[in-house]
Amino acid sequence: MAVATALLAVLLVPPLLTPGADSGDTNQVRALRVLVPNAPGGGYDITARTAAKAMEDADLLRNAEVFNLPGAGGTVGLGRTVGERGNGKLIMSMGLGVVGAVYTNKSPNSLLDTTPIAKLIEEPDIVVVAKDSPYTSMQQLVDAWKANPGTVTVGGGSAPGGPDHLAPMLIAKAVGLQPKTVNYIPFDGGGELLASVLGGKVAFGVSGVGEYRDQIQAGTLRVLAVTSKDRIQGIDAPTLKQAGVEVEFTNWRGIVAPPGITQTDRDKLVDVFARLQKTPQWAEALQRNGWTDAFAPGDEFKTFLENENKRVATVLKDLGLA
């Protein structure tokens, strides 16, 4: 049933631009459609819309149409992207979550079937609770979690195998809990997770820092810890290691295109993202969202993806989740 629903979602999405659309002699990318494989408000969505706006503001791109095709941890969008073979005017925003979802959803498509364009950013996850939560420190949360892991629910903005799932599983293992005992509730992006955290429907949430900065600054969310090596500027919370949990974890996001695009189209796409790195608009976006610049173009990103596929498969097996 899940497979049939996913296939139906793909078939019902309007046709994308044809490979020959917007062709010309210029080396400039004029227009793109950007597929986001999760719901509005999630990390892929924010990254895609932020990058598209920065490109337009910097006159690197005339028009970018960002649209969402959520489902199955991003693998519905991945399937559509792979199916658009040869279409050099489509790209997909993606990241670590899609790598894991390929395994946990037994997807027939892999990111290795796509054309890697660029790795863009790295971003730590955060452990958050609502402002009126009884947990005011990571230690309090861990104590309650260890006492009754089944009732202390954790929500994440990614499907099993994604970063918001892997992070709490690694935390559980580090504090002596069996990952299989963790009551993890997946949401299709941090936007969907937010309401459940604020409403107390989950005991705590794990998501990217960029997705919740506004709520943190407004005081509606409390950050108990960050998963990065160092503290995050503007976030009053310790790292997991500072809180006594021996885990360090970083998420990443990037851009892929369909398979079979021409070398010319590939070079144009890699070039436009390389030029984006040098713009003040992108520099401001990195700072505003708490992202770390992790640009890796073309072949470098391809090698990275190959290594990530192997690493995630190993981690999931070690945790008994694959």
Side-chain angles (χ1 to χ4, degrees):
M1 181 66 72
V3 173
T5 302
L7 289 174
L8 182 61
V10 172
L11 294 172
L12 291 177
V13 173
L16 305 175
L17 293 179
T18 60
D22 190 40
S23 60
D25 295 330
T26 179
N27 286 326
Q28 184 180 19
V29 177
R30 294 181 179 179
L32 281 175
R33 294 196 79 196
V34 186
L35 188 159
V36 176
N38 68 358
Y44 303 146
D45 186 70
I46 292 173
T47 305
R49 294 181 190 279
T50 300
K53 186 177 188 306
M55 284 182 175
E56 291 176 339
D57 291 347
D59 294 324
L60 300 179
L61 187 66
R62 292 186 184 180
N63 179 58
E65 179 193 350
V66 182
F67 68 102
N68 301 79
L69 181 56
T75 57
V76 171
L78 173 62
R80 185 56 189 259
T81 301
V82 172
E84 286 290 319
R85 173 174 288 273
N87 186 352
K89 308 306 173 187
L90 168 73
I91 57 176
M92 184 178 86
S93 174
M94 46 67 72
L96 177 58
V98 181
V99 179
V102 166
Y103 289 101
T104 57
N105 286 279
K106 295 180 172 54
S107 170
N109 302 114
S110 163
L111 285 165
L112 301 183
D113 298 324
T114 67
T115 301
I117 300 301
K119 178 186 174 189
L120 295 180
I121 60 116
E122 290 182 350
E123 178 187 40
D125 267 351
I126 51 176
V127 178
V128 295
V129 294
K131 66 177 182 180
D132 56 354
S133 167
Y135 308 121
T136 59
S137 71
M138 193 66 198
Q139 187 60 55
Q140 284 183 339
L141 173 61
V142 168
D143 289 344
W145 201 14
K146 290 173 69 174
N148 202 337
T151 61
V152 180
T153 54
V154 52
S158 58
D164 300 346
H165 173 246
L166 291 176
M169 294 302 163
L170 291 170
I171 294 171
K173 185 176 182 181
V175 301
L177 287 171
Q178 290 295 321
K180 288 185 178 180
T181 68
V182 175
N183 188 355
Y184 177 79
I185 301 175
F187 294 83
D188 205 346
E192 290 192 0
L193 168 64
L194 178 60
S196 289
V197 174
L198 292 175
K201 295 180 180 179
V202 293
F204 68 104
V206 177
S207 192
V209 62
E211 298 167 69
Y212 291 160
R213 272 195 176 272
D214 290 346
Q215 289 78 18
I216 294 167
Q217 291 172 357
T220 56
L221 283 179
R222 179 188 304 142
V223 183
L224 300 185
V226 300
T227 67
S228 51
K229 178 181 179 181
D230 301 311
R231 285 179 176 248
I232 301 173
Q233 185 176 1
I235 303 293
D236 184 19
T239 67
L240 284 171
K241 287 189 174 181
Q242 289 173 336
V245 181
E246 289 297 314
V247 171
E248 184 180 312
F249 183 87
T250 303
N251 188 14
W252 59 266
R253 299 193 191 104
I255 300 292
V256 296
I261 65 174
T262 66
Q263 187 66 39
T264 298
D265 281 340
R266 176 186 178 274
D267 290 346
K268 284 182 181 180
L269 290 171
V270 172
D271 180 65
V272 75
F273 280 98
R275 286 186 287 152
L276 173 66
Q277 309 306 305
K278 302 174 183 178
T279 65
Q281 289 87 351
W282 185 242
E284 189 276 331
L286 291 173
Q287 182 177 14
R288 182 177 71 250
N289 289 288
W291 295 337
T292 300
D293 181 14
F295 184 64
D299 290 340
E300 186 179 342
F301 185 37
K302 179 181 179 181
T303 300
F304 175 82
L305 278 180
E306 291 169 350
N307 291 333
E308 281 293 271
N309 268 277
K310 296 175 184 176
R311 183 180 74 86
V312 169
T314 299
V315 170
L316 289 173
K317 288 177 182 176
D318 286 347
L319 293 175
L321 301 170

